[in-house]
Amino acid sequence: MFTPVRYSSEDEDSARWEGFAFRPGDIVISTRSKSGTTWMQMICALLVFQTPELPAPLGTLSPWLDWLITPRDQVFARLAAQSHRRFIKTHTPLDGIPLDPRASYIVVGRHPLDLAVSLYHQGDNINRELVRKLTGQPEPEGGQPPRPGLHDWLVSWVESQDRPDDQLDSLAGVIWHLSDAWARRTSPRPADRGQPDSGQVGQGQGRPADGGQRLAVVLVHYDDLCADLDGQMRRLAGLLGIAVPESAWPGLVRAATFDQMRARAKAQVPDPAGVLKDPAAFFRRGCSGAGHEILTSAECARYYARTARLAPPDLLDWLHRGSQAGPGWLESAAAG
């Protein structure tokens, strides 16, 4: 029997998943922080409701189940009351949550260096004092030490020896989250470079095309969303068994772009408790390449050497997209 690993931090606890009642068709969005979580929530919302005018704020429609700031019973009650196809946010790797064959699991991957840069900037936008108050955490003894500059912080992040079970937002934690999902994936396969698997993931109400009980695990790359948002949204609709009228696609895709999401940040940023200092700053840049702009070629080389010891080559090939060539590759932005 599968026993989930428990991951916890000052504001998250994966044990809150215990006892959650899954329904056929549930969608679980499992990502590391700053990998495109809110973007994928928005895409799922657009596919489910098929209108840019959502019936409620995104954080209400797609609650963050493991977040300690919102009482667990309140989150469960909100999800139980939903009559639409549910899509639930988590930052927990798949080995830390229940794996139910009635659900589909979407894991978004982003180049870890770009993820880390976004994570750094996000840290400046969080009201830590309010987070501690809402979660009952004590004030740090001696006050909060000053943060190093971005370059030094990023070098330290690459070289840190933190374990995933101690710090999921460490480099090892990011790679573990993706490695675990990669081993369970039903799409993409190594040979298809992100193209749909015919009948290999949940159709209709999250069930396999043959009616069996295979677990549906879909990997999506942040850069694929940047490069071809329309194509990736259509791909996800097919994998999730959601039929969308052709006339609806232009409006749905436009609503998922970076500019549109930033323009409506107040309704789409996952911040019901008001812990963000500036909701619009949550959508900071929305493109790839920031990590390579900050590190030297030698520092980038150390990053790639480190990840080569943490993950299998096929996953790294999918994740890095040839960026080992060095600074200067930038992808066009859509959302982040």
Tab-separated table of all heavy atoms in Angstrom, residues 11 37 41 51 66 84 90 100 108 111 113 166 174-175 187 190 200 206 208 265-266 287 309 315:
chain	number	residue	atom	x	y	z
A	11	ASP	N	4.556	27.029	6.624
A	11	ASP	CA	3.211	27.372	6.175
A	11	ASP	C	2.539	26.287	5.320
A	11	ASP	O	1.477	26.520	4.755
A	11	ASP	CB	3.212	28.698	5.406
A	11	ASP	CG	4.093	28.679	4.175
A	11	ASP	OD1	4.874	27.726	4.010
A	11	ASP	OD2	3.999	29.623	3.358
A	37	THR	N	2.505	27.625	-11.359
A	37	THR	CA	1.344	27.065	-10.666
A	37	THR	C	0.067	27.829	-11.001
A	37	THR	O	-0.932	27.252	-11.436
A	37	THR	CB	1.564	27.094	-9.140
A	37	THR	OG1	2.861	26.623	-8.825
A	37	THR	CG2	0.519	26.258	-8.432
A	41	GLN	N	-3.303	26.740	-13.001
A	41	GLN	CA	-4.639	26.845	-12.403
A	41	GLN	C	-5.572	27.635	-13.320
A	41	GLN	O	-6.736	27.276	-13.500
A	41	GLN	CB	-4.552	27.529	-11.041
A	41	GLN	CG	-3.934	26.692	-9.930
A	41	GLN	CD	-3.796	27.495	-8.658
A	41	GLN	OE1	-2.866	28.294	-8.520
A	41	GLN	NE2	-4.722	27.307	-7.738
A	51	THR	N	-14.917	30.079	-20.246
A	51	THR	CA	-15.151	31.514	-20.363
A	51	THR	C	-14.070	32.240	-19.580
A	51	THR	O	-13.656	31.769	-18.512
A	51	THR	CB	-16.536	31.924	-19.819
A	51	THR	OG1	-16.633	33.365	-19.829
A	51	THR	CG2	-16.750	31.419	-18.407
A	66	ASP	N	-2.676	22.251	0.956
A	66	ASP	CA	-1.701	22.042	2.030
A	66	ASP	C	-1.291	23.318	2.757
A	66	ASP	O	-0.465	23.267	3.661
A	66	ASP	CB	-0.419	21.350	1.525
A	66	ASP	CG	-0.365	21.086	0.058
A	66	ASP	OD1	-0.711	21.983	-0.729
A	66	ASP	OD2	0.038	19.988	-0.312
A	84	HIS	N	-18.630	21.836	-10.058
A	84	HIS	CA	-17.874	21.771	-11.306
A	84	HIS	C	-16.730	20.778	-11.163
A	84	HIS	O	-16.435	20.279	-10.060
A	84	HIS	CB	-17.325	23.157	-11.674
A	84	HIS	CG	-16.412	23.744	-10.637
A	84	HIS	ND1	-15.094	23.379	-10.468
A	84	HIS	CD2	-16.642	24.704	-9.686
A	84	HIS	CE1	-14.542	24.052	-9.498
A	84	HIS	NE2	-15.452	24.870	-8.999
A	90	THR	N	-1.384	22.113	-5.225
A	90	THR	CA	-0.473	21.651	-4.191
A	90	THR	C	0.963	21.925	-4.621
A	90	THR	O	1.270	21.883	-5.813
A	90	THR	CB	-0.664	20.147	-3.888
A	90	THR	OG1	0.243	19.763	-2.851
A	90	THR	CG2	-0.393	19.291	-5.121
A	100	ASP	N	-4.852	8.822	-6.574
A	100	ASP	CA	-6.158	8.207	-6.805
A	100	ASP	C	-6.377	8.037	-8.303
A	100	ASP	O	-6.242	8.997	-9.064
A	100	ASP	CB	-7.253	9.097	-6.208
A	100	ASP	CG	-8.592	8.403	-6.130
A	100	ASP	OD1	-9.158	8.084	-7.204
A	100	ASP	OD2	-9.079	8.162	-5.013
A	108	VAL	N	4.067	20.687	-13.500
A	108	VAL	CA	4.697	21.668	-14.383
A	108	VAL	C	6.177	21.765	-14.044
A	108	VAL	O	6.551	21.911	-12.880
A	108	VAL	CB	4.028	23.047	-14.256
A	108	VAL	CG1	4.649	24.035	-15.249
A	108	VAL	CG2	2.525	22.944	-14.479
A	111	HIS	N	12.812	25.526	-15.909
A	111	HIS	CA	14.255	25.495	-15.683
A	111	HIS	C	14.521	25.938	-14.251
A	111	HIS	O	14.103	27.040	-13.838
A	111	HIS	CB	14.972	26.418	-16.660
A	111	HIS	CG	16.445	26.172	-16.736
A	111	HIS	ND1	17.288	26.380	-15.653
A	111	HIS	CD2	17.244	25.731	-17.740
A	111	HIS	CE1	18.519	26.077	-15.981
A	111	HIS	NE2	18.531	25.677	-17.256
A	113	LEU	N	16.976	27.242	-12.618
A	113	LEU	CA	17.607	28.542	-12.392
A	113	LEU	C	16.598	29.678	-12.514
A	113	LEU	O	16.627	30.642	-11.736
A	113	LEU	CB	18.764	28.755	-13.368
A	113	LEU	CG	20.004	27.885	-13.157
A	113	LEU	CD1	21.046	28.194	-14.234
A	113	LEU	CD2	20.598	28.078	-11.767
A	166	ASP	N	13.887	18.330	3.817
A	166	ASP	CA	14.115	19.487	4.680
A	166	ASP	C	13.706	20.793	4.010
A	166	ASP	O	13.220	21.711	4.679
A	166	ASP	CB	15.594	19.574	5.080
A	166	ASP	CG	16.036	18.429	5.973
A	166	ASP	OD1	15.196	17.943	6.758
A	166	ASP	OD2	17.202	18.006	5.865
A	174	VAL	N	13.613	20.714	-5.865
A	174	VAL	CA	13.025	20.949	-7.190
A	174	VAL	C	13.242	19.737	-8.092
A	174	VAL	O	12.315	19.260	-8.759
A	174	VAL	CB	13.633	22.215	-7.821
A	174	VAL	CG1	13.214	22.347	-9.288
A	174	VAL	CG2	13.221	23.458	-7.032
A	175	ILE	N	14.474	19.237	-8.115
A	175	ILE	CA	14.786	18.094	-8.973
A	175	ILE	C	14.053	16.850	-8.509
A	175	ILE	O	13.572	16.055	-9.341
A	175	ILE	CB	16.310	17.861	-9.015
A	175	ILE	CG1	17.022	19.059	-9.664
A	175	ILE	CG2	16.632	16.582	-9.772
A	175	ILE	CD1	16.658	19.314	-11.114
A	187	SER	N	2.504	11.038	-19.684
A	187	SER	CA	2.728	11.965	-20.786
A	187	SER	C	3.556	13.127	-20.248
A	187	SER	O	3.294	13.621	-19.160
A	187	SER	CB	1.405	12.495	-21.321
A	187	SER	OG	1.620	13.459	-22.316
A	190	PRO	N	9.522	9.999	-23.405
A	190	PRO	CA	10.787	10.566	-23.876
A	190	PRO	C	10.848	10.771	-25.375
A	190	PRO	O	11.450	11.716	-25.861
A	190	PRO	CB	11.824	9.531	-23.419
A	190	PRO	CG	11.188	8.841	-22.267
A	190	PRO	CD	9.723	8.806	-22.577
A	200	GLN	N	-3.325	7.441	-23.304
A	200	GLN	CA	-2.545	6.994	-22.161
A	200	GLN	C	-2.847	7.756	-20.879
A	200	GLN	O	-2.384	7.384	-19.829
A	200	GLN	CB	-1.046	7.119	-22.474
A	200	GLN	CG	-0.583	6.122	-23.511
A	200	GLN	CD	-0.783	4.700	-23.052
A	200	GLN	OE1	-0.313	4.308	-22.000
A	200	GLN	NE2	-1.499	3.931	-23.836
A	206	GLY	N	-11.535	11.835	-16.139
A	206	GLY	CA	-10.263	11.497	-15.560
A	206	GLY	C	-9.937	10.024	-15.634
A	206	GLY	O	-9.044	9.547	-14.953
A	208	PRO	N	-8.836	6.470	-17.900
A	208	PRO	CA	-8.161	6.099	-19.129
A	208	PRO	C	-9.140	5.777	-20.236
A	208	PRO	O	-10.293	5.408	-19.986
A	208	PRO	CB	-7.355	4.854	-18.713
A	208	PRO	CG	-7.229	4.969	-17.237
A	208	PRO	CD	-8.486	5.636	-16.766
A	265	ALA	N	-4.653	40.743	-11.729
A	265	ALA	CA	-3.915	40.063	-10.660
A	265	ALA	C	-4.723	39.927	-9.379
A	265	ALA	O	-4.634	38.904	-8.684
A	265	ALA	CB	-2.612	40.804	-10.380
A	266	LYS	N	-5.511	40.918	-9.033
A	266	LYS	CA	-6.229	40.876	-7.760
A	266	LYS	C	-7.153	39.669	-7.679
A	266	LYS	O	-7.326	39.074	-6.607
A	266	LYS	CB	-7.032	42.173	-7.580
A	266	LYS	CG	-7.590	42.334	-6.175
A	266	LYS	CD	-8.171	43.722	-5.971
A	266	LYS	CE	-8.667	43.892	-4.536
A	266	LYS	NZ	-9.234	45.246	-4.311
A	287	CYS	N	9.123	35.077	-18.415
A	287	CYS	CA	9.890	34.507	-19.513
A	287	CYS	C	11.106	33.784	-18.961
A	287	CYS	O	11.422	33.892	-17.775
A	287	CYS	CB	10.295	35.559	-20.535
A	287	CYS	SG	11.437	36.812	-19.907
A	309	ARG	N	24.113	14.998	-11.295
A	309	ARG	CA	24.225	14.023	-10.209
A	309	ARG	C	22.889	13.800	-9.503
A	309	ARG	O	22.766	12.897	-8.680
A	309	ARG	CB	25.267	14.495	-9.185
A	309	ARG	CG	26.683	14.603	-9.748
A	309	ARG	CD	27.720	14.820	-8.644
A	309	ARG	NE	27.543	16.087	-7.962
A	309	ARG	CZ	28.127	17.234	-8.325
A	309	ARG	NH1	28.920	17.260	-9.403
A	309	ARG	NH2	27.948	18.347	-7.642
A	315	LEU	N	15.298	13.145	-18.184
A	315	LEU	CA	14.577	14.227	-17.521
A	315	LEU	C	15.303	15.549	-17.713
A	315	LEU	O	14.679	16.571	-18.041
A	315	LEU	CB	14.420	13.929	-16.029
A	315	LEU	CG	13.967	15.112	-15.150
A	315	LEU	CD1	12.637	15.671	-15.624
A	315	LEU	CD2	13.901	14.709	-13.692
